[in-house]
Structure formats: C-alpha cells, structure tokens
Amino acid sequence: MKPWAPSEIVVDLNGPEPLYSQVARQIGAAIEDGRLPNGARLDNELDLAARLHLSRPTIRQAIQSLVNQGLLVRKRGVGTQVVRTKVARPLRLSSLFDDLSELGDKPESVVLVNRVEPAGDDAIEHLEAPGLTHVRRLKRVRSTGGEPLAIMNNYLPDGIVDPADDELREKGLYQLLRSAGVRLHAAQQNVGARQATEEDAELLDEKPGAALLTMRRTTYDDSGKVVEYGWHVYRASRYSFNLSLTNNV
Amino acid sequence: MKPWAPSEIVVDLNGPEPLYSQVARQIGAAIEDGRLPNGARLDNELDLAARLHLSRPTIRQAIQSLVNQGLLVRKRGVGTQVVRTKVARPLRLSSLFDDLSELGDKPESVVLVNRVEPAGDDAIEHLEAPGLTHVRRLKRVRSTGGEPLAIMNNYLPDGIVDPADDELREKGLYQLLRSAGVRLHAAQQNVGARQATEEDAELLDEKPGAALLTMRRTTYDDSGKVVEYGWHVYRASRYSFNLSLTNNV
DNA sequence: GAGTGGTCTAGACCACCTT
DNA sequence: AGGTGGTCTAGACCACTCA
C-alpha cells in the first residue's frame, strides 16, 4: 500500500494552536473518519516534514502524541501504521455524570445528604489528612430515564467546594471540582461486586440479593492531596464499566 | 523548598541505554524510594542539562516520560514538582495470571476445554474476522490457595497459539501469546456483575445467587487484529479490580 | 544497501507565573 | 523583571528491517 500523502493537512503558522498539535489533530481526524483506514502506512517523517515545511522534531512530536493515544504504531526500519481498534480513547479521569452526559442521557439526582460534619477516623484515613477536623459528606442517588442507577457516597475535605443541593442535582462532582479550580490529577479505583442489602434495594428499586457493582475511589489533585473519597454502588442490571487499555507509557 | 540538586545522577555515554532513559529511571527511582518526597521541586531543565552535560531536549524527554507516568507535574513559570500519589503505575495490559504472580500467589488452573472447533457466528463476530473457519476454545478454572477464583472462557483465532494443557496450567494466556511472538497492543474491557447460576456455583464453590464480577475482553495486536476474546467471571468475595487513572494522554 | 524510526545536540523565541 | 516550562528549528549519527 502506498503511504499517505498528506495533501489535506494545512497548518496555520500564526494561530494560537501549536504546530505539532495542528498536525496531530488533523491526522487523528483522518483516522477517525476513515480517510486513513486500519493498516494504512503514514508517510515517513522526513517527507512529512518537507511537505508541511516543518522540522522533523515537530512532526515527530505530532506522531508521538497519536502513538500515545494508541492510534498509530511505529516500527523502526518499517514505518508508521494506523492501528484502529474498536475504541479510540484510553481511560480518562471522568465521572459517571460526564459519561452519561456524553451518551445523551440526562442524569437526575436526589440529594440525600449534603452537609459538613466532624471528621471521623474513617474519613481521616481515606482522605489521608491526619489533622482534618471537618469533612463534607455527600449521599446521592443518580437516575436516568426515571430509573435509579446508583447510590453515591462521598467524603471531601471541608472547604474545597461548597455546593448547594441544586448544583449537585444538575452537575457532576468532578464538574464542580473543576469549576472550583481543582486540578484533578489521578485516581485510584477498586471495582467489585456484592448483593443488595434491604437499604440498597429500596433506594435502587431492586430486590434484596440482586447483584450490584461496587466502586471505591480516591481522587488526587496536582499537589498529591486527596480531594475526594467515594464509595458507590451501581445496579448491575443497568450499568457496567468500559475500560480501554493500551500498552504505551 | 530548595530544588533538588541531582548529584546522584550518573549517565553512561557509551552504554546501550538511551541517555534520556537513564535520567528518567534514576529520577523515578529517587521518587519511589523517597529521596524526592511529595511536593519536592526538581531543578529547572537548563540547570539539569548543564550539570549532566546533556542537552535540554534530552532532559525534557526524560522529564516528559515521568510526567506521562504521573510522577511529576510541570507548571509553566513555576517549575517541576513531584506528585507522589499512593499508586505509581497506570493501568497496564496484564492478565489475571500476571497480577497474581506479582503478588506472590501461585495460581493453579484446571483446563476444562482446550480444542479447535468450527467457528460459530458468535466467535466470528467477537473476533471481528468474517472469513474465520476455526477457533480455539478455552475454558479454565483459576484457583489460588486451593480455592477457586474465576471461570475463564476464551476464543482465539486458530493458528495463533497451540498450547498443551500443561502449558495452560502453568502460564497465563498473555504469557503464551507473548512467547508466540504476538505483540499485544490494546484491549477493550467491560466489567459488570451478576448472580451465580447453578453451574457457576458448582465450579466456584459458591452458593447460587452469590455476587459475581463479570469481565468481557477483546485484545488487539499491533496490526489491529483481534487475538483473543474472553468472558470471565470472578468470585466477588475473593477478587476485585484495581484501576489507576491519570489525566495525561 | 536503502529506507525507516530512535536518539541527540545547540541553539532560538515565546507564554506564563511570581515577585 | 526574572525565571520557568512550551515550542520550534536544522542539522547529525545510529539501529533496525527488508529486499
């Protein structure tokens, strides 16, 4: 197969978007919409650089970002090829609310608890903040299409966000944190399963003993501080996690 | 706090390991073992380059790889800081067997099915290979410490690997694939839950109705071909998934 | 042997943050 | 104003793959 001639790529030398980003975005779009099908060979780096009147390192930076996203594979002595697996994006730092919103569902929430309370040993341990005196405690039931989907319990260190119940109904927790200037950096999640208790069953409109997905999560910000600890349960009949893994670092 | 003076870093100009990799590895090690604690500032790029007698792009490449791993954060105008969250590694392309082996458990397997059979519509669809005529079908029960842990069902396109039952007992499927020269590239996983059926219960030594974790997985190689499709069930009382997410691309 | 990506250098200018 | 990381250039040599 003939290597792709990037006649369609145009770069704006004076625009605000970095050159490598412009190139990466346009090649990525060509892969997404099928102009660059699975297995297609990309032009080599030197030719690409010459045609776009850019330097080779700039081209390499563009290609590298696509390799990191898992859309391209480079092999020394061979070339660069498209590997379009079924799923494009690796796992992101997103919340249930974000995911549902992207799918076009309109999530609804009932806020059961939203208050600041003295920090117990449990909260102090999970938030990894020994001197903490107060925590915000949240308990919400998330629904879509009028059917309950999940029970969401959260601890947050007091003072990070101060949401009204209305805001909690209309926005996801991650959205609120980002709006408050928190720079989310990493999260550690544990996913398991258990049977529904009486209380679970009542809140989720399930029968006691039904299978539930459980998720415990600790979220960290840029400075390494814990900004949120949550333990959630999902109705297994209505929800499951999708994960994309790639082999890149 | 004073920026870290990298007196401990030494580079071997003639060794086989790339310079940026040597630098990244040694800084990474300093973070792991606490010489560079959480929040510590790294020397700026120009000073680092001057002290190590390397160029700035090489230093940047080293730092970038650590940023991609989520160990460092760069802020323009500020500097580079260590963000040591509880968990170091992002999600890798690993199998249950790999994970258990790392934990020191010695996994045992019972091979219930290991044969090549004509490909049904189901297998053809999941392996995304329309012309496929034969598939290898695996069904195994994985145990640790004498207790069953999971039932693992797999389809593989015929001809990729041809394992004896002995090999399946002693090695993980991903190990076998790598040994056979398959370059694993990406996987798409779906994690859910359900209650145990009579058959599940018997194989896993659980009661019918017990909570089980379910995982469906499609694994792709470098060329974008499906190399494996699997549907597994785990005893929720003995197993859960740990995921680390970072915000980097 | 020809072609590819992998690594590395020595500069340059800019955007952003802090003081 | 000074210091930081972000971007970009124009070369160079090497290692690997394939015909």
Side-chain angles (χ1 to χ4, degrees), chain A:
Chain A
M1 175 160 338
K2 202 170 161 221
W4 187 48
S7 56
E8 303 156 36
I9 295 185
V10 290
V11 293
D12 174 5
L13 289 173
N14 298 318
E17 186 181 9
L19 302 180
Y20 77 88
S21 170
Q22 296 183 39
V23 175
R25 186 172 42 72
Q26 292 179 61
I27 295 178
I31 295 174
E32 299 279 353
D33 68 19
R35 275 173 294 158
L36 271 171
N38 201 340
R41 285 234 338 262
L42 205 64
D43 249 4
N44 73 60
E45 299 174 348
L46 288 170
D47 285 356
L48 269 177
R51 291 190 209 212
L52 299 177
H53 303 103
L54 297 173
S55 72
R56 188 182 165 210
T58 301
I59 297 296
R60 275 185 67 79
Q61 194 175 359
I63 293 178
Q64 187 59 50
S65 79
L66 295 169
V67 170
N68 288 342
Q69 293 173 43
L71 285 113
L72 295 176
V73 174
R74 290 202 270 208
K75 291 178 194 158
R76 176 152 35 175
V78 179
T80 304
Q81 277 185 308
V82 176
V83 278
R84 181 81 172 91
T85 53
K86 253 190 175 168
V87 54
R89 304 204 161 276
L91 210 49
R92 295 170 315 130
L93 209 52
S94 64
S95 68
L96 175 61
F97 191 96
D98 299 334
D99 295 339
L100 294 173
S101 299
E102 277 189 13
L103 290 173
D105 282 323
K106 190 164 158 39
E108 309 128 34
S109 289
V110 176
V111 179
L112 301 177
V113 177
N114 174 23
R115 61 162 178 263
V116 176
E117 55 187 41
D121 291 345
D122 185 52
I124 288 175
E125 182 183 341
H126 285 303
L127 295 177
E128 302 169 21
L132 196 69
T133 60
H134 289 78
V135 294
R136 178 165 295 274
R137 170 89 161 81
L138 300 179
K139 182 170 185 177
R140 297 163 292 160
V141 174
R142 187 79 83 202
S143 305
T144 58
E147 281 273 314
L149 184 66
I151 307 170
M152 316 173 78
N153 291 281
N154 295 89
Y155 284 141
L156 292 85
D158 185 25
I160 292 191
V161 284
D162 193 15
D165 286 9
D166 280 351
E167 292 179 289
L168 283 171
R169 266 191 288 275
E170 288 169 18
K171 292 183 179 178
L173 184 54
Y174 275 14
Q175 278 185 339
L176 289 172
L177 287 169
R178 289 198 178 97
S179 306
V182 176
R183 297 162 65 149
L184 302 177
H185 175 253
Q188 170 77 359
Q189 296 189 347
N190 180 278
V191 176
R194 65 171 170 82
Q195 291 187 265
T197 65
E198 295 271 353
E199 188 198 346
D200 296 328
E202 189 164 336
L203 287 172
L204 290 175
D205 197 15
E206 283 275 0
K207 289 178 184 159
L212 300 179
L213 261 178
T214 66
M215 192 265 277
R216 288 183 292 117
R217 180 181 66 193
T218 306
T219 309
Y220 300 85
D221 73 1
D222 258 6
S223 68
K225 284 203 302 286
V226 175
V227 293
E228 176 254 357
Y229 173 77
W231 60 109
H232 304 177
V233 297
Y234 305 85
R235 295 173 69 178
S237 55
R238 294 201 68 207
Y239 190 72
S240 60
F241 290 97
N242 279 309
L243 321 172
S244 304
L245 317 184
T246 61
N247 222 351
N248 309 304
V249 176

